[in-house]
């Protein structure tokens, strides 16, 4: 009886009329089998579309994630290279400031010494 009620529900859902359910078979009128096949083909077509949609979505998401990861890795490498260049420029600038300071101190001391020695020479009369 459960199989008979399930079969009746399916045939009612397919909008078929004038069918007979036997003990082991379902008897349909001429053309009703074609209607059932058309419904089946339609359902299978919709299912194929859903499967294709899911597969295409999966492939596109995979490509997008790969491209995104590649772009992030490329940005990371470029930012690292720029940071290294910036650090090298800062290091050179700091070194050049120290060299300039030392040279200025040396020049001011040598100028002081020459001025001081001239002043001492003038005072002592040498």
């Amino acid at each position: 009886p459960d199989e008979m009620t399930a079969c009746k529900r399916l045939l009612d859902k397919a909008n078929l009329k004038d069918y007979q359910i036997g003990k082991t078979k379902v008897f349909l009128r001429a053309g009703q089998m074609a209607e059932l096949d058309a419904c089946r083909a339609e359902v299978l077509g919709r299912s194929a579309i859903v499967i294709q949609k899911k597969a295409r979505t999966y492939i596109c998401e995979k490509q997008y994630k790969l491209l995104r990861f590649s772009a992030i890795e490329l940005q990371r490498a470029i930012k690292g290279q720029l940071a290294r260049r910036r650090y090298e420029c800062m290091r050179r600038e700091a070194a050049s400031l120290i060299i300039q300071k030392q040279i200025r101190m040396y020049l001011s001391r040598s100028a002081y010494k020459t001025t001081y020695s001239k002043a001492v020479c003038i005072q002592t009369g040498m």
Side-chain angles (χ1 to χ4, degrees), residues 8-76:
K8 282 182 184 178
R9 285 184 188 164
L10 282 173
L11 292 172
D12 289 338
K13 196 172 189 180
N15 293 330
L16 291 179
K17 304 215 189 273
D18 297 331
Y19 58 86
Q20 286 184 351
I21 299 175
K23 288 184 179 180
T24 58
K25 293 182 181 178
V26 175
F27 298 99
L28 301 171
R29 285 187 171 214
Q32 287 181 332
M33 190 63 179
E35 286 182 44
L36 283 176
D37 282 339
C39 289
R40 180 178 170 268
E42 183 181 330
V43 169
L44 287 177
R46 277 188 265 138
S47 299
I49 289 171
V50 169
I51 291 170
Q52 289 173 355
K53 181 173 75 169
K54 295 288 185 184
R56 288 183 182 134
T57 301
Y58 173 76
I59 291 169
C60 288
E61 279 181 359
K62 194 173 178 182
Q63 276 185 327
Y64 170 75
K65 287 177 182 175
L66 181 65
L67 284 173
R68 185 171 175 258
F69 177 75
S70 299
I72 289 171
E73 286 296 308
L74 187 62
Q75 288 173 357
R76 182 186 61 82

